[in-house]
Amino acid sequence: MKRIALAGAAAAVVAAAIALPLFQPWRLVTDKVVDEALPTASSSTAPISIKPSSTTPPTVSATPAATTKVLAKGSLISHEHDTSGSVAVLQLPDGSRVLRLENLDTSDGPDLRVWLSDAEVLPGRAGWHVFDDGRYQTLGRLKGNHGNQNYPIPASVDLADFRSVAIWCDRFNVSFGAATLT
């Protein structure tokens, strides 16, 4: 009887040693909040005009205010974990593009990524595994599971090739949540 109990305890220790690092269950109760400001174009110094013989202070040449354009947007739906918030693809005044997550609220998880995907967003369990079936572009690791975040979109990415955004768990190949871009 003592051997069976010892073997059972040893098996439990081995199972825990494998399962805990893989599943990281403590992440279900941990949070990381990120609150990034709306992105702006890379700052440049406006030229200063000075007349050499003038005693008046220099003036800053004004350029028309450029605006950020919303190219696409959507609302996150839940998949494997409760997920909410909004997404927007923004074009900055300098022509660069970013994906902005706003009011993100999801579970912390191992190996979470932000993906652009060509997959259709399906509600419920049907949508959990579709995002790696076709084309996708990773924009990087999820910075936090709560808040507002910006992810640069490479200039080489053709947005016409993608119709959704997924918060993707790369370790378990499952979507935590996703949004259709419209």
Side-chain angles (χ1 to χ4, degrees):
M1 192 63 130
K2 201 174 194 180
R3 275 191 195 190
I4 293 173
L6 188 57
V13 167
V14 169
I18 293 170
L20 286 175
L22 182 63
F23 289 97
Q24 299 177 351
W26 58 88
R27 296 197 80 165
L28 292 173
V29 295
T30 60
D31 288 325
K32 183 172 182 187
V33 178
V34 174
D35 191 18
E36 295 180 327
L38 272 169
T40 59
S42 53
S43 59
S44 61
T45 307
I48 297 176
S49 63
I50 301 175
K51 293 183 181 174
S53 59
S54 175
T55 58
T56 60
T59 58
V60 176
S61 299
T63 56
T67 59
T68 298
K69 296 178 189 171
V70 177
L71 302 177
K73 60 185 177 177
S75 295
L76 290 163
I77 65 165
S78 298
H79 279 147
E80 171 69 18
H81 293 268
D82 287 339
T83 301
S84 62
S86 62
V87 300
V89 175
L90 305 175
Q91 182 172 13
L92 303 180
D94 66 358
S96 64
R97 301 166 302 170
V98 298
L99 176 74
R100 174 131 173 110
L101 301 177
E102 289 192 333
N103 301 311
L104 175 64
D105 184 9
T106 192
S107 296
D108 194 8
D111 209 13
L112 293 179
R113 311 290 174 147
V114 178
W115 281 9
L116 292 174
S117 173
D118 66 352
E120 178 182 359
V121 175
L122 303 172
R125 286 186 68 96
W128 287 16
H129 302 284
V130 300
F131 297 98
D132 62 347
D133 293 344
R135 295 186 60 191
Y136 61 88
Q137 171 71 46
T138 184
L139 299 180
R141 290 188 178 276
L142 186 69
K143 297 172 185 176
N145 61 311
H146 295 286
N148 306 308
Q149 304 164 33
N150 305 309
Y151 297 86
I153 299 173
S156 61
V157 170
D158 184 355
L159 291 174
D161 293 340
F162 302 102
R163 60 178 170 171
S164 58
V165 173
I167 306 300
W168 185 256
C169 179
D170 221 15
R171 179 164 303 157
F172 296 107
N173 295 319
V174 67
S175 169
F176 273 36
T180 299
L181 292 172
T182 58

